[in-house]
Amino acid sequence: MSTKISAPSSILLVCLGNICRSPTAEEIFRQQAAIAGLDIKIDSAGTGDWHLGEAPDIRAQNHAKANGYNLSKLVSRQVSADDFRNFDLILAMDSQNLADLQAIKDDIANVDGSLARLALFSEEDPTYGGDDVPDPYTGDGDDFEHVIKRIESSVKAWIESWKHA
Ligand code: 4NP
């Protein structure tokens, strides 16, 4: 178990395309933070640039909608160096995303002193801790549904960890 810290004021969720996992995580985090009474700025981005300006994948939208989450207004963007200055915490959906983010962070001249903390999205999750959120892009409906359950579990774990900080 990692050292307890209080809730960040801003969180960026990051996956590869920013059309499946991270927009789903953005909306689930936004809803759960509001329910918990936490005032947190929440956004998402992708390490890749293939889907810039696009709405989330229609399969991700439909599965999210069936579970009470509306992704229709979200727009894909790519993570930038400024994100490391503007967010307190950046959460990677899988270990490849985490490695790609660490490489960007390492490239930024650390003159600012306070760059975002990086972590795996599942880090605090008692069930899935340390595991990747699997990429559903080439998968089927069950894979998209599984991603929602995984994300709900890990979001609850983060919020729970801040309650006891
Ligand atoms: P995401 O899924 O990283 O969860 O948004 C993907 C979306 C698109 C691609 C890969 C993964 N792609 O290769 O275009």
Side-chain angles (χ1 to χ4, degrees):
M1 187 68 75
S2 56
T3 308
K4 295 294 178 193
I5 53 164
S6 49
S9 54
S10 54
I11 303 173
L12 183 68
L13 292 314
V14 175
C15 62
L16 179 59
N18 193 213
I19 56 168
C20 297
R21 292 165 293 174
S22 61
T24 303
E26 176 184 344
E27 199 51 39
I28 292 174
F29 229 128
R30 190 170 284 126
Q31 274 202 25
Q32 293 297 328
I35 289 166
L38 294 169
D39 182 18
I40 305 175
K41 177 177 93 169
I42 298 164
D43 196 5
S44 67
T47 56
D49 64 359
W50 308 285
H51 299 283
L52 301 185
E54 293 179 16
D57 186 290
I58 195 63
R59 297 165 298 170
Q61 287 198 49
N62 288 341
H63 283 277
K65 192 174 179 185
N67 284 275
Y69 307 107
N70 180 2
L71 309 187
S72 65
K73 301 279 192 308
L74 303 181
V75 177
S76 174
R77 72 173 181 87
Q78 192 172 24
V79 70
S80 72
D82 274 343
D83 287 322
F84 288 81
R85 304 184 186 98
N86 295 337
F87 287 87
D88 291 343
L89 179 62
I90 300 182
L91 297 179
M93 290 293 135
D94 64 36
S95 51
Q96 182 61 56
N97 305 148
L98 186 62
D100 292 341
L101 288 165
Q102 187 64 57
I104 297 170
K105 186 174 174 179
D106 291 345
D107 275 349
I108 301 170
N110 204 351
V111 284
D112 307 313
S114 61
L115 296 177
R117 177 184 171 231
L118 271 181
L120 201 57
F121 182 71
S122 66
E123 184 178 283
E124 289 288 339
D125 194 320
T127 309
Y128 300 111
D131 294 349
D132 293 346
V133 178
D135 182 350
Y137 188 61
T138 55
D140 60 19
D142 284 349
D143 296 313
F144 278 86
E145 206 61 33
H146 180 61
V147 160
I148 290 174
K149 299 301 163 208
R150 293 280 298 264
I151 289 173
E152 285 176 334
S153 173
S154 294
V155 165
K156 281 183 184 149
W158 278 107
I159 290 175
E160 197 59 29
S161 79
W162 298 325
K163 278 187 194 160
H164 301 297

